[in-house]
Amino acid sequence: QLQFVESGGGLVQPGGSLRLSCAASGFTLRDYSIAWFRQAPGKEREGVSCISSTDGSTYYPDSVKGRFTISRDFVKNTVYLQMNSLKPEDTAVYYCAAQTTCLKGLIISSWGRGTQVTVSS
C-alpha cells in the first residue's frame, strides 16, 4: 500500500517556523495528489493543505492560509509543508496522505506515524 514517513516536527515558540517532510515509500510521488492533515488531542483530523498531481495547484483552509505552504521535490520524492508564524492552536500530530484528487478526493494511502508539532512558550 502507499505509505509515507513524516518527519521534521518539534517544539517551537509562537511565531516560529518549522518545515515538515513527507517521504514517499515505494511509489512515485508525481502520480498522486498529496495532502497534509493534522490531529490535536480530542479533535477531529483536519486537512491543512493539498497539492494536485495534475497541475500542481495548491489548496489551504482559512485556518492556515498565508502561513503554510505545501511543495514537492520529485528528485527526492518528498513533499514538504513549510509552516510559518506558528500559533499554539497549530499544535497537533501532522500526517501526509495520497488522494485521488484534492477536491473531495478519496484517501488511498495508509496512515503513517505522523510527526508531532508543539507550539508553546
Side-chain angles (χ1 to χ4, degrees):
Q1 179 62 281
L2 308 182
Q3 193 166 5
F4 298 98
V5 177
E6 300 96 339
S7 63
L11 175 64
V12 64
Q13 294 185 341
S17 298
L18 284 173
R19 189 179 74 161
L20 307 184
S21 297
C22 173
S25 178
F27 65 96
T28 300
L29 191 63
R30 195 186 195 104
D31 296 335
Y32 303 90
S33 295
I34 309 298
W36 281 95
F37 296 83
R38 67 185 181 187
Q39 187 167 27
K43 297 183 179 180
E44 297 294 320
R45 182 176 285 112
E46 173 191 22
V48 296
S49 65
C50 188
I51 186 164
S52 173
S53 65
T54 56
D55 61 1
S57 297
T58 57
Y59 304 86
Y60 307 92
D62 290 340
S63 59
V64 307
K65 189 172 295 183
R67 300 188 298 118
F68 290 11
T69 303
I70 188 172
S71 62
R72 301 174 296 186
D73 186 330
F74 295 138
V75 174
K76 296 181 178 180
N77 209 35
T78 298
V79 176
Y80 301 98
L81 184 67
Q82 179 66 47
M83 305 185 297
N84 299 323
S85 302
L86 284 164
K87 305 174 181 179
E89 49 263 46
D90 294 319
T91 296
V93 178
Y94 284 71
Y95 306 86
C96 54
Q99 299 187 178
T100 54
T101 179
C102 283
L103 302 179
K104 291 188 174 182
L106 298 176
I107 296 175
I108 58 175
S109 62
S110 299
W111 293 109
R113 296 180 183 275
T115 185
Q116 176 72 50
V117 172
T118 303
V119 184
S120 176
S121 299

Short mmCIF file of all heavy atoms in Angstrom, two decimals, residues 20 34-40 44-51 58-71 79-83 86 89-97 99 102 107 111 115 117:
data_model
loop_
_atom_site.label_atom_id
_atom_site.label_comp_id
_atom_site.label_asym_id
_atom_site.label_seq_id
_atom_site.Cartn_x
_atom_site.Cartn_y
_atom_site.Cartn_z
N LEU A 20 8.10 20.55 7.66
CA LEU A 20 7.84 19.13 7.75
C LEU A 20 8.15 18.45 6.43
O LEU A 20 7.95 19.03 5.36
CB LEU A 20 6.38 18.87 8.12
CG LEU A 20 5.85 19.57 9.37
CD1 LEU A 20 4.42 19.12 9.66
CD2 LEU A 20 6.76 19.31 10.57
N ILE A 34 -1.26 15.01 -3.10
CA ILE A 34 -0.78 14.78 -1.74
C ILE A 34 -1.32 15.85 -0.80
O ILE A 34 -1.29 17.03 -1.12
CB ILE A 34 0.77 14.78 -1.67
CG1 ILE A 34 1.36 13.83 -2.72
CG2 ILE A 34 1.23 14.39 -0.27
CD1 ILE A 34 0.97 12.37 -2.53
N ALA A 35 -1.81 15.40 0.34
CA ALA A 35 -2.39 16.31 1.32
C ALA A 35 -1.71 16.15 2.68
O ALA A 35 -1.23 15.07 3.03
CB ALA A 35 -3.89 16.06 1.47
N TRP A 36 -1.67 17.24 3.42
CA TRP A 36 -1.25 17.22 4.82
C TRP A 36 -2.49 17.35 5.70
O TRP A 36 -3.39 18.15 5.43
CB TRP A 36 -0.30 18.37 5.14
CG TRP A 36 1.12 18.15 4.71
CD1 TRP A 36 1.70 18.56 3.55
CD2 TRP A 36 2.14 17.48 5.45
NE1 TRP A 36 3.02 18.19 3.51
CE2 TRP A 36 3.32 17.52 4.67
CE3 TRP A 36 2.18 16.84 6.69
CZ2 TRP A 36 4.52 16.95 5.09
CZ3 TRP A 36 3.37 16.27 7.11
CH2 TRP A 36 4.52 16.33 6.32
N PHE A 37 -2.52 16.57 6.77
CA PHE A 37 -3.57 16.61 7.77
C PHE A 37 -2.95 16.80 9.15
O PHE A 37 -1.76 16.56 9.33
CB PHE A 37 -4.39 15.32 7.78
CG PHE A 37 -5.15 15.06 6.51
CD1 PHE A 37 -4.54 14.48 5.42
CD2 PHE A 37 -6.49 15.38 6.42
CE1 PHE A 37 -5.22 14.23 4.25
CE2 PHE A 37 -7.20 15.14 5.25
CZ PHE A 37 -6.57 14.57 4.17
N ARG A 38 -3.76 17.22 10.09
CA ARG A 38 -3.30 17.29 11.47
C ARG A 38 -4.42 16.87 12.41
O ARG A 38 -5.60 16.99 12.09
CB ARG A 38 -2.80 18.70 11.83
CG ARG A 38 -3.88 19.77 11.86
CD ARG A 38 -3.26 21.14 12.11
NE ARG A 38 -4.25 22.20 12.17
CZ ARG A 38 -3.96 23.49 12.25
NH1 ARG A 38 -2.68 23.89 12.26
NH2 ARG A 38 -4.93 24.40 12.30
N GLN A 39 -4.03 16.38 13.58
CA GLN A 39 -5.00 15.98 14.59
C GLN A 39 -4.47 16.34 15.97
O GLN A 39 -3.41 15.87 16.38
CB GLN A 39 -5.30 14.49 14.51
CG GLN A 39 -6.44 14.06 15.42
CD GLN A 39 -6.94 12.67 15.11
OE1 GLN A 39 -6.20 11.84 14.59
NE2 GLN A 39 -8.20 12.41 15.42
N ALA A 40 -5.22 17.17 16.67
CA ALA A 40 -4.90 17.55 18.03
C ALA A 40 -5.69 16.67 18.99
O ALA A 40 -6.75 16.14 18.63
CB ALA A 40 -5.23 19.02 18.26
N GLU A 44 -11.08 16.33 15.80
CA GLU A 44 -11.12 15.56 14.56
C GLU A 44 -9.91 15.89 13.70
O GLU A 44 -9.34 16.97 13.78
CB GLU A 44 -12.41 15.86 13.80
CG GLU A 44 -13.68 15.45 14.53
CD GLU A 44 -13.78 13.96 14.70
OE1 GLU A 44 -13.43 13.21 13.76
OE2 GLU A 44 -14.21 13.53 15.78
N ARG A 45 -9.54 14.94 12.84
CA ARG A 45 -8.47 15.17 11.90
C ARG A 45 -8.88 16.27 10.92
O ARG A 45 -10.00 16.28 10.40
CB ARG A 45 -8.12 13.89 11.15
CG ARG A 45 -6.97 14.03 10.17
CD ARG A 45 -6.60 12.69 9.53
NE ARG A 45 -5.87 11.83 10.45
CZ ARG A 45 -6.35 10.71 10.97
NH1 ARG A 45 -7.56 10.29 10.66
NH2 ARG A 45 -5.60 9.99 11.81
N GLU A 46 -7.97 17.20 10.67
CA GLU A 46 -8.25 18.37 9.84
C GLU A 46 -7.27 18.44 8.68
O GLU A 46 -6.06 18.35 8.87
CB GLU A 46 -8.14 19.64 10.69
CG GLU A 46 -8.25 20.94 9.92
CD GLU A 46 -7.87 22.15 10.75
OE1 GLU A 46 -7.14 21.99 11.75
OE2 GLU A 46 -8.31 23.27 10.39
N GLY A 47 -7.77 18.63 7.47
CA GLY A 47 -6.91 18.84 6.32
C GLY A 47 -6.34 20.24 6.34
O GLY A 47 -7.08 21.21 6.53
N VAL A 48 -5.04 20.38 6.14
CA VAL A 48 -4.40 21.70 6.18
C VAL A 48 -3.75 22.10 4.87
O VAL A 48 -3.34 23.25 4.72
CB VAL A 48 -3.37 21.79 7.33
CG1 VAL A 48 -4.06 21.65 8.68
CG2 VAL A 48 -2.28 20.74 7.18
N SER A 49 -3.66 21.19 3.91
CA SER A 49 -3.09 21.54 2.61
C SER A 49 -3.23 20.39 1.64
O SER A 49 -3.40 19.24 2.03
CB SER A 49 -1.61 21.93 2.73
OG SER A 49 -0.83 20.82 3.15
N CYS A 50 -3.16 20.71 0.35
CA CYS A 50 -3.17 19.68 -0.69
C CYS A 50 -2.52 20.25 -1.94
O CYS A 50 -2.69 21.44 -2.23
CB CYS A 50 -4.59 19.21 -1.00
SG CYS A 50 -4.67 17.78 -2.11
N ILE A 51 -1.78 19.41 -2.66
CA ILE A 51 -1.19 19.81 -3.93
C ILE A 51 -1.62 18.81 -5.00
O ILE A 51 -1.51 17.59 -4.81
CB ILE A 51 0.35 19.93 -3.83
CG1 ILE A 51 0.92 20.49 -5.13
CG2 ILE A 51 1.01 18.61 -3.45
CD1 ILE A 51 2.35 21.01 -4.99
N THR A 58 -2.50 24.30 -5.46
CA THR A 58 -2.48 24.08 -4.02
C THR A 58 -3.74 24.61 -3.36
O THR A 58 -4.38 25.55 -3.86
CB THR A 58 -1.25 24.73 -3.38
OG1 THR A 58 -1.24 26.14 -3.69
CG2 THR A 58 0.03 24.10 -3.92
N TYR A 59 -4.08 24.01 -2.22
CA TYR A 59 -5.30 24.35 -1.50
C TYR A 59 -5.01 24.42 -0.01
O TYR A 59 -4.24 23.61 0.52
CB TYR A 59 -6.40 23.31 -1.76
CG TYR A 59 -6.71 23.13 -3.23
CD1 TYR A 59 -5.96 22.23 -4.00
CD2 TYR A 59 -7.72 23.84 -3.85
CE1 TYR A 59 -6.23 22.06 -5.35
CE2 TYR A 59 -7.99 23.68 -5.19
CZ TYR A 59 -7.25 22.78 -5.94
OH TYR A 59 -7.51 22.62 -7.27
N TYR A 60 -5.63 25.40 0.67
CA TYR A 60 -5.44 25.58 2.10
C TYR A 60 -6.74 26.04 2.74
O TYR A 60 -7.47 26.84 2.16
CB TYR A 60 -4.38 26.64 2.39
CG TYR A 60 -3.05 26.42 1.71
CD1 TYR A 60 -2.80 26.98 0.46
CD2 TYR A 60 -2.06 25.67 2.32
CE1 TYR A 60 -1.58 26.79 -0.17
CE2 TYR A 60 -0.84 25.48 1.69
CZ TYR A 60 -0.60 26.04 0.45
OH TYR A 60 0.61 25.84 -0.16
N PRO A 61 -7.04 25.56 3.95
CA PRO A 61 -8.18 26.10 4.68
C PRO A 61 -7.82 27.46 5.28
O PRO A 61 -6.65 27.82 5.38
CB PRO A 61 -8.42 25.05 5.78
CG PRO A 61 -7.05 24.51 6.05
CD PRO A 61 -6.35 24.49 4.71
N ASP A 62 -8.84 28.20 5.69
CA ASP A 62 -8.62 29.53 6.23
C ASP A 62 -7.73 29.52 7.48
O ASP A 62 -7.04 30.50 7.76
CB ASP A 62 -9.95 30.21 6.55
CG ASP A 62 -10.73 30.58 5.31
OD1 ASP A 62 -10.12 30.68 4.22
OD2 ASP A 62 -11.95 30.79 5.41
N SER A 63 -7.76 28.44 8.22
CA SER A 63 -7.01 28.36 9.46
C SER A 63 -5.50 28.46 9.27
O SER A 63 -4.78 28.86 10.18
CB SER A 63 -7.35 27.08 10.22
OG SER A 63 -7.06 25.93 9.44
N VAL A 64 -5.01 28.10 8.07
CA VAL A 64 -3.56 28.12 7.83
C VAL A 64 -3.16 28.94 6.61
O VAL A 64 -1.96 29.16 6.39
CB VAL A 64 -3.00 26.69 7.68
CG1 VAL A 64 -3.39 25.83 8.87
CG2 VAL A 64 -3.45 26.06 6.37
N LYS A 65 -4.12 29.40 5.84
CA LYS A 65 -3.82 30.14 4.61
C LYS A 65 -2.96 31.37 4.91
O LYS A 65 -3.24 32.13 5.82
CB LYS A 65 -5.12 30.55 3.92
CG LYS A 65 -4.93 31.13 2.53
CD LYS A 65 -6.27 31.34 1.82
CE LYS A 65 -6.96 30.01 1.57
NZ LYS A 65 -8.23 30.17 0.82
N GLY A 66 -1.91 31.53 4.12
CA GLY A 66 -0.99 32.64 4.31
C GLY A 66 0.15 32.31 5.23
O GLY A 66 1.14 33.07 5.28
N ARG A 67 0.06 31.21 5.96
CA ARG A 67 1.11 30.81 6.89
C ARG A 67 1.79 29.50 6.49
O ARG A 67 2.98 29.33 6.74
CB ARG A 67 0.55 30.66 8.31
CG ARG A 67 -0.06 31.94 8.86
CD ARG A 67 -0.42 31.80 10.34
NE ARG A 67 -1.41 30.76 10.56
CZ ARG A 67 -1.21 29.66 11.29
NH1 ARG A 67 -0.03 29.46 11.87
NH2 ARG A 67 -2.18 28.77 11.44
N PHE A 68 1.04 28.58 5.89
CA PHE A 68 1.57 27.28 5.48
C PHE A 68 1.72 27.22 3.97
O PHE A 68 0.91 27.78 3.23
CB PHE A 68 0.63 26.15 5.91
CG PHE A 68 0.58 25.90 7.40
CD1 PHE A 68 1.15 26.77 8.31
CD2 PHE A 68 -0.06 24.76 7.88
CE1 PHE A 68 1.09 26.53 9.67
CE2 PHE A 68 -0.13 24.51 9.24
CZ PHE A 68 0.45 25.40 10.14
N THR A 69 2.75 26.51 3.50
CA THR A 69 2.98 26.32 2.08
C THR A 69 3.38 24.88 1.80
O THR A 69 4.33 24.37 2.40
CB THR A 69 4.08 27.26 1.55
OG1 THR A 69 3.75 28.62 1.83
CG2 THR A 69 4.23 27.08 0.04
N ILE A 70 2.67 24.22 0.90
CA ILE A 70 3.00 22.86 0.51
C ILE A 70 3.81 22.88 -0.78
O ILE A 70 3.56 23.70 -1.67
CB ILE A 70 1.73 21.99 0.35
CG1 ILE A 70 2.09 20.52 0.14
CG2 ILE A 70 0.85 22.51 -0.78
CD1 ILE A 70 0.89 19.59 0.18
N SER A 71 4.78 21.98 -0.90
CA SER A 71 5.60 21.91 -2.10
C SER A 71 6.07 20.47 -2.33
O SER A 71 5.99 19.63 -1.43
CB SER A 71 6.80 22.85 -2.01
OG SER A 71 7.64 22.51 -0.93
N VAL A 79 7.41 15.44 -0.19
CA VAL A 79 6.53 16.59 -0.07
C VAL A 79 6.88 17.34 1.20
O VAL A 79 7.19 16.72 2.23
CB VAL A 79 5.05 16.16 -0.04
CG1 VAL A 79 4.14 17.37 0.19
CG2 VAL A 79 4.67 15.47 -1.34
N TYR A 80 6.83 18.66 1.15
CA TYR A 80 7.16 19.48 2.30
C TYR A 80 5.97 20.33 2.71
O TYR A 80 5.10 20.66 1.91
CB TYR A 80 8.34 20.41 1.99
CG TYR A 80 9.59 19.69 1.59
CD1 TYR A 80 9.92 19.53 0.25
CD2 TYR A 80 10.44 19.16 2.55
CE1 TYR A 80 11.08 18.87 -0.13
CE2 TYR A 80 11.59 18.49 2.19
CZ TYR A 80 11.91 18.34 0.85
OH TYR A 80 13.06 17.68 0.49
N LEU A 81 5.95 20.68 3.99
CA LEU A 81 4.99 21.65 4.50
C LEU A 81 5.77 22.69 5.29
O LEU A 81 6.24 22.41 6.39
CB LEU A 81 3.93 21.00 5.39
CG LEU A 81 2.83 21.94 5.90
CD1 LEU A 81 1.97 22.42 4.74
CD2 LEU A 81 1.96 21.26 6.95
N GLN A 82 5.93 23.86 4.70
CA GLN A 82 6.59 24.97 5.38
C GLN A 82 5.56 25.68 6.24
O GLN A 82 4.54 26.15 5.73
CB GLN A 82 7.20 25.94 4.37
CG GLN A 82 7.89 27.15 5.00
CD GLN A 82 9.12 26.77 5.79
OE1 GLN A 82 9.95 26.00 5.32
NE2 GLN A 82 9.24 27.30 7.01
N MET A 83 5.81 25.77 7.53
CA MET A 83 4.88 26.38 8.47
C MET A 83 5.54 27.59 9.11
O MET A 83 6.55 27.46 9.80
CB MET A 83 4.46 25.37 9.55
CG MET A 83 3.88 24.08 8.99
SD MET A 83 3.25 22.98 10.28
CE MET A 83 4.78 22.64 11.16
N LEU A 86 3.80 30.30 13.48
CA LEU A 86 3.08 29.24 14.18
C LEU A 86 2.39 29.76 15.43
O LEU A 86 2.91 30.63 16.13
CB LEU A 86 4.03 28.11 14.52
CG LEU A 86 4.40 27.21 13.33
CD1 LEU A 86 5.62 26.37 13.65
CD2 LEU A 86 3.22 26.32 12.97
N GLU A 89 -2.45 26.98 18.66
CA GLU A 89 -3.50 26.14 18.11
C GLU A 89 -3.06 25.27 16.94
O GLU A 89 -3.81 24.42 16.47
CB GLU A 89 -4.72 27.00 17.69
CG GLU A 89 -4.36 28.19 16.83
CD GLU A 89 -4.23 29.48 17.63
OE1 GLU A 89 -3.59 29.46 18.70
OE2 GLU A 89 -4.79 30.51 17.20
N ASP A 90 -1.83 25.47 16.46
CA ASP A 90 -1.27 24.61 15.43
C ASP A 90 -0.70 23.32 16.02
O ASP A 90 -0.30 22.42 15.28
CB ASP A 90 -0.16 25.33 14.65
CG ASP A 90 -0.68 26.50 13.85
OD1 ASP A 90 -1.76 26.38 13.24
OD2 ASP A 90 0.01 27.54 13.81
N THR A 91 -0.65 23.24 17.33
CA THR A 91 -0.13 22.06 18.00
C THR A 91 -0.96 20.83 17.64
O THR A 91 -2.18 20.82 17.85
CB THR A 91 -0.10 22.25 19.52
OG1 THR A 91 0.80 23.31 19.85
CG2 THR A 91 0.36 20.99 20.23
N ALA A 92 -0.31 19.81 17.10
CA ALA A 92 -1.01 18.60 16.66
C ALA A 92 0.01 17.61 16.12
O ALA A 92 1.19 17.93 15.95
CB ALA A 92 -2.02 18.93 15.57
N VAL A 93 -0.46 16.39 15.85
CA VAL A 93 0.33 15.44 15.09
C VAL A 93 -0.02 15.64 13.62
O VAL A 93 -1.19 15.65 13.25
CB VAL A 93 0.05 13.99 15.51
CG1 VAL A 93 0.85 13.02 14.65
CG2 VAL A 93 0.39 13.80 16.98
N TYR A 94 0.99 15.81 12.78
CA TYR A 94 0.80 16.08 11.37
C TYR A 94 1.07 14.84 10.54
O TYR A 94 2.07 14.14 10.75
CB TYR A 94 1.71 17.23 10.92
CG TYR A 94 1.21 18.58 11.37
CD1 TYR A 94 1.28 18.96 12.70
CD2 TYR A 94 0.66 19.48 10.45
CE1 TYR A 94 0.81 20.19 13.12
CE2 TYR A 94 0.19 20.72 10.87
CZ TYR A 94 0.27 21.07 12.20
OH TYR A 94 -0.20 22.30 12.61
N TYR A 95 0.18 14.57 9.59
CA TYR A 95 0.27 13.42 8.71
C TYR A 95 0.17 13.86 7.25
O TYR A 95 -0.46 14.86 6.94
CB TYR A 95 -0.89 12.44 8.96
CG TYR A 95 -1.06 11.98 10.38
CD1 TYR A 95 -1.81 12.72 11.28
CD2 TYR A 95 -0.50 10.78 10.81
CE1 TYR A 95 -1.99 12.28 12.59
CE2 TYR A 95 -0.69 10.34 12.11
CZ TYR A 95 -1.43 11.09 12.99
OH TYR A 95 -1.62 10.65 14.28
N CYS A 96 0.77 13.09 6.36
CA CYS A 96 0.54 13.30 4.94
C CYS A 96 -0.13 12.07 4.36
O CYS A 96 -0.07 10.98 4.92
CB CYS A 96 1.84 13.61 4.18
SG CYS A 96 3.16 12.41 4.40
N ALA A 97 -0.83 12.26 3.23
CA ALA A 97 -1.58 11.18 2.62
C ALA A 97 -1.75 11.43 1.13
O ALA A 97 -1.77 12.58 0.69
CB ALA A 97 -2.95 11.04 3.28
N GLN A 99 -4.15 11.25 -2.19
CA GLN A 99 -5.56 11.32 -2.52
C GLN A 99 -5.76 11.17 -4.02
O GLN A 99 -4.85 11.45 -4.81
CB GLN A 99 -6.18 12.64 -2.07
CG GLN A 99 -6.12 12.88 -0.57
CD GLN A 99 -6.89 14.11 -0.12
OE1 GLN A 99 -6.95 14.39 1.07
NE2 GLN A 99 -7.48 14.83 -1.05
N CYS A 102 -7.50 16.52 -5.04
CA CYS A 102 -7.54 17.41 -3.89
C CYS A 102 -8.96 17.80 -3.49
O CYS A 102 -9.22 18.05 -2.32
CB CYS A 102 -6.72 18.67 -4.16
SG CYS A 102 -4.93 18.45 -4.03
N ILE A 107 -8.87 9.25 0.17
CA ILE A 107 -7.53 8.95 0.65
C ILE A 107 -7.20 7.51 0.30
O ILE A 107 -7.95 6.59 0.63
CB ILE A 107 -7.42 9.18 2.17
CG1 ILE A 107 -7.63 10.66 2.49
CG2 ILE A 107 -6.08 8.70 2.70
CD1 ILE A 107 -7.67 10.98 3.96
N TRP A 111 -2.21 5.46 6.75
CA TRP A 111 -1.77 6.50 7.68
C TRP A 111 -0.44 6.11 8.29
O TRP A 111 -0.26 5.00 8.78
CB TRP A 111 -2.81 6.72 8.77
CG TRP A 111 -4.09 7.31 8.28
CD1 TRP A 111 -5.30 6.71 8.17
CD2 TRP A 111 -4.28 8.65 7.82
NE1 TRP A 111 -6.23 7.58 7.67
CE2 TRP A 111 -5.64 8.78 7.44
CE3 TRP A 111 -3.44 9.76 7.68
CZ2 TRP A 111 -6.17 9.97 6.94
CZ3 TRP A 111 -3.96 10.94 7.17
CH2 TRP A 111 -5.32 11.03 6.82
N THR A 115 4.13 13.25 12.61
CA THR A 115 5.19 13.94 13.33
C THR A 115 4.58 15.00 14.22
O THR A 115 3.69 15.74 13.81
CB THR A 115 6.22 14.54 12.34
OG1 THR A 115 7.32 15.11 13.06
CG2 THR A 115 5.59 15.60 11.45
N VAL A 117 4.05 18.32 16.26
CA VAL A 117 4.39 19.74 16.28
C VAL A 117 3.80 20.35 17.54
O VAL A 117 2.59 20.25 17.77
CB VAL A 117 3.84 20.47 15.03
CG1 VAL A 117 4.03 21.98 15.16
CG2 VAL A 117 4.53 19.94 13.78
#
